[in-house]
Amino acid sequence: MTRTLSIFGATGSVGLSTLDLVRQHREQYRVVALTANGNAADLAKLAREFEPEMAVVADEAAYPALKEALTGTATKAAAGPAALIEAAQMGADWTMAAIVGCAGLPSTLAALEGGKTVALANKEALVSAGELMMAAVERSGATLLPVDSEHNAIFQCLAGGRIDQVRKITLTASGGPFRTFSLDQMRAVTPAQAVAHPNWDMGAKISVDSATMMNKGLELIEAHHLFPVGLDKLDIVVHPQSVIHSMVEYVDRSTLAQLGSPDMRIPIASALAWPERIETNSLPLDLAKIGRLDFEQPDLVRFPALRLARAAAEQGGATPAILNAANEVAVAAFLAGQVGFLDIARIVEQTLSGYVPNAPHSLDALFSIDAAARAYAETQMDILPDAA
Ligand code: NDP
């Protein structure tokens, strides 16, 4: 049986890895929708190859270029937020949610409401709107499959196990490119250094999040929603080789780990074929060549994002959405050369302490909190802690 697929964020790192797997297994999958933000040229190229029914650019300014590039094909070109929702409502059997940032939330939620299978890479959506998203899963009966390598590892370690028999879940973290840097060295790092991750090849935003370790903080909140064992049972350990992707310890002290080369095609393949397996061209794991696996405690002084994210998870309500919104603003400012690397966590912390809304009960309420937190974070760019 051919499975129909929609891929949101098709032109990004996760989107392209997903399409790479589809390319290897063309007979099993049929792509019905592909989306991007403004990159009409790459989206059109992918649409010509995979022949979806619909190709959507979120940015309406990119529509004329997309329309022209798709002339003579059977793919309908569309643009804007409503078109993204329309694509999410096409009823694909399997949807890859790989838009970066909270911008992916409406389409991810719309796909979940459809009650089919959603593979989630877009962690910011779950961090901001965890309760709303999990309620949608409950309501529609959708299957939510984690794609983030850590959560996919946990999902695999839980197969055949019972969540009430879990003693601890440990997320592994590579520690990013600045794991051994002093605070003084970190103060001077450039965007180019921050996006050069030692193990993983990823989009710019998640690469910076890995460098600040906010990525692990966001993943802690993500795990809190996906695997409800309680925050006190969620742990983080730094593991620089990125070979063990996460671990589950059961009450009998048996610990299950999932291992693999650091290649996103492996967790994506697991979600794409689930509950079956498909072959990938990824490198096999050569443990003798790797030689050793190291582990260390995360340093909350040099990586305050971890502390901020855990506190946000404990506080719940709108706090994780504020954390995420401020982080998106701060990372964009860092990538644009407007603030320094250490300012990212500072801006997030100042936004969290300066802006206290009510808990979001609806998507509209959540988006107003998100917008207000972004506006507040913008005002914190040049305000140093003493003056804040
Ligand atoms: P990229 O930056 O490589 O790609 C992002 C994709 O989203 C692109 O297709 C981009 O389109 C699209 N996009 C960007 N902004 C918007 C917007 N406002 N509205 C609609 N579409 C938009 O990101 P990644 O692939 O690295 O990451 C995607 C998600 O997956 C993130 O949430 C990340 O945290 C998560 N993730 C990524 C991993 C990785 O290895 N890369 C690993 C685990 C999770 P365009 O090309 O037109 O700009």
Side-chain angles (χ1 to χ4, degrees):
M1 273 259 298
T2 313
R3 190 180 262 196
T4 55
L5 313 179
S6 291
I7 298 163
F8 287 75
T11 50
S13 163
V14 171
L16 291 173
S17 294
T18 309
L19 287 167
D20 199 33
L21 290 164
V22 175
R23 209 174 267 126
Q24 285 170 50
H25 300 278
R26 284 301 281 261
E27 68 300 339
Q28 292 186 46
Y29 304 107
R30 184 166 64 82
V31 177
V32 295
L34 292 176
T35 85
N37 188 25
N39 190 348
D42 283 2
L43 182 64
K45 210 164 146 211
L46 293 170
R48 283 185 174 269
E49 179 183 354
F50 290 96
E51 302 177 320
E53 289 161 37
M54 195 171 177
V56 183
V57 275
D59 181 358
E60 293 179 40
Y63 176 71
L66 181 68
K67 176 114 182 95
E68 194 188 329
L70 289 178
T71 307
T73 71
T75 301
K76 175 184 156 189
L84 278 179
I85 300 294
E86 188 188 334
Q89 291 173 336
M90 284 171 72
D93 298 322
W94 188 94
T95 296
M96 167 55 82
I99 290 176
V100 60
C102 202
L105 175 57
S107 54
T108 303
L109 206 50
L112 285 173
E113 297 282 5
K116 301 281 180 64
T117 299
V118 176
L120 184 76
N122 178 211
K123 67 189 82 183
E124 296 91 345
L126 194 64
V127 167
S128 291
E131 278 82 15
L132 291 172
M133 274 178 58
M134 297 317 286
V137 171
E138 184 83 9
R139 212 167 34 242
S140 69
T143 302
L144 183 57
L145 297 175
V147 166
D148 227 337
S149 60
E150 296 75 4
H151 306 76
N152 186 266
I154 296 163
F155 182 78
Q156 294 196 46
C157 293
L158 284 170
R162 279 196 2 221
I163 198 134
D164 61 325
Q165 293 181 339
V166 169
R167 190 190 289 270
K168 190 170 79 173
I169 292 177
T170 304
L171 298 155
T172 53
S174 71
F178 311 134
R179 181 175 61 85
T180 58
F181 277 36
S182 67
L183 276 171
D184 273 344
Q185 286 175 303
M186 281 193 204
R187 197 163 283 118
V189 302
T190 63
Q193 285 174 292
V195 297
H197 195 279
N199 305 340
W200 297 93
D201 182 12
M202 309 182 286
K205 194 261 176 183
I206 183 175
S207 297
V208 176
D209 284 345
S210 296
T212 59
M213 292 194 74
M214 179 60 89
N215 183 48
K216 211 50 55 182
L218 299 178
E219 287 179 7
L220 181 87
I221 302 174
E222 187 183 5
H224 179 48
H225 290 294
L226 292 173
F227 312 111
V229 292
L231 275 168
D232 56 329
K233 291 185 180 166
L234 292 176
D235 205 5
I236 294 170
V237 70
V238 175
H239 165 45
Q241 291 90 353
S242 300
V243 166
I244 295 182
H245 298 304
S246 279
M247 293 169 259
V248 174
E249 182 191 340
Y250 287 92
V251 286
D252 59 3
R253 297 284 184 200
S254 192
T255 297
L256 268 57
Q258 187 264 347
L259 287 71
S261 300
D263 179 342
M264 277 307 291
R265 287 174 303 176
I266 299 173
I268 295 170
S270 148
L272 183 58
W274 188 86
E276 304 294 329
R277 298 267 180 186
I278 49 169
E279 286 198 19
T280 71
N281 292 335
S282 300
L283 291 176
L285 189 61
D286 186 342
L287 286 175
K289 193 168 161 199
I290 294 163
R292 55 184 274 180
L293 300 179
D294 296 296
F295 304 93
E296 58 194 57
Q297 285 295 332
D299 180 344
L300 302 188
V301 176
R302 286 181 303 127
F303 297 100
L306 285 172
R307 169 178 56 78
L308 296 174
R310 187 175 280 276
E314 278 162 2
Q315 208 163 325
T319 314
I322 297 167
L323 171 100
N324 177 69
N327 183 57
E328 287 194 31
V329 168
V331 170
F334 170 69
L335 285 170
Q338 291 160 358
V339 300
F341 182 73
L342 293 181
D343 290 319
I344 299 173
R346 175 186 63 75
I347 291 166
V348 172
E349 184 154 28
Q350 287 174 196
T351 306
L352 282 166
S353 55
Y355 173 59
V356 189
N358 296 322
H361 297 297
S362 67
L363 197 56
D364 284 349
L366 185 105
F367 276 122
S368 18
I369 289 165
D370 177 85
R374 277 166 205 269
Y376 191 93
E378 294 283 358
T379 66
Q380 298 302 301
M381 297 285 170
D382 303 319
I383 301 180
L384 295 173
D386 292 342

